[in-house]
Amino acid sequence: MGCLVCVGYPEISSPNPPSPGTLRPTMIDLGPGSAEKHYPVTAYNSVVAVNARGEVVAHYRKTNLYYTDETWAQEAPEGFTAHDLAVADGSGSSSVRTTFGICMDLNPHHFLPRTATRRSLTDHVLATDSRLLVLSTAWLTHLPS
């Protein structure tokens, strides 16, 4: 089919020690009988893009956390990113500049005004000349009882 698949997932990163005061490591229980009960890791709300050959072609970590994310995940230290993704255009192959976002990334960081150092997702899309925005979301809703 020649498609590109994008999927969101809770990323558990390698245990690289964070700089003091920057990232709080998450602790996970390795289970009964484990020599170490807790293993320090850093968790992110992430999305990955995989091409038709099964190769990871892009990876993004959420920049603007929602309050429920803040209980388990860290903000992406790199902020918003853009990727040149190969696409089939009918006459062969070309690439399209793509920005990824996850849900709360649509809103300004902590709902604070934009500054020269704190840009919005749309500022990033415009600054990087992205032609495609892939947005992974999980909307919350209240269903009647």
Side-chain angles (χ1 to χ4, degrees):
M1 290 176 49
C3 62
L4 180 75
V5 175
C6 301
V7 63
Y9 73 104
E11 176 190 355
I12 306 286
S13 74
S14 301
N16 297 326
S19 303
T22 55
L23 300 176
R24 62 186 188 279
T26 302
M27 303 301 274
I28 57 174
D29 189 349
L30 296 178
S34 171
E36 267 184 68
K37 291 292 183 196
H38 292 90
Y39 191 80
V41 297
T42 304
Y44 299 96
N45 188 343
S46 300
V47 67
V48 64
V50 180
N51 68 15
R53 292 183 300 280
E55 301 163 332
V56 173
V57 293
H59 177 260
Y60 170 72
R61 294 172 172 161
K62 189 173 184 177
T63 299
N64 296 337
L65 299 181
Y66 191 54
Y67 75 94
T68 54
D69 294 314
E70 291 175 348
T71 64
W72 65 272
Q74 305 301 315
E75 290 183 351
E78 62 275 10
F80 299 119
T81 58
H83 306 270
D84 292 313
L85 299 182
V87 295
D89 63 4
S91 64
S93 183
S94 62
S95 68
V96 62
R97 175 56 57 120
T98 305
T99 290
F100 290 86
I102 301 173
C103 210
M104 184 69 173
D105 284 335
L106 285 174
N107 297 302
H109 186 261
H110 291 210
F111 298 105
L112 297 172
R114 296 186 332 240
T115 66
T117 58
R118 186 175 51 242
R119 299 186 315 170
S120 71
L121 180 61
T122 50
D123 292 333
H124 173 78
V125 168
L126 293 171
T128 59
D129 196 31
S130 290
R131 310 311 289 164
L132 177 64
L133 172 61
V134 176
L135 189 70
S136 175
T137 62
W139 297 104
L140 303 176
T141 185
H142 297 283
L143 299 175
S145 300

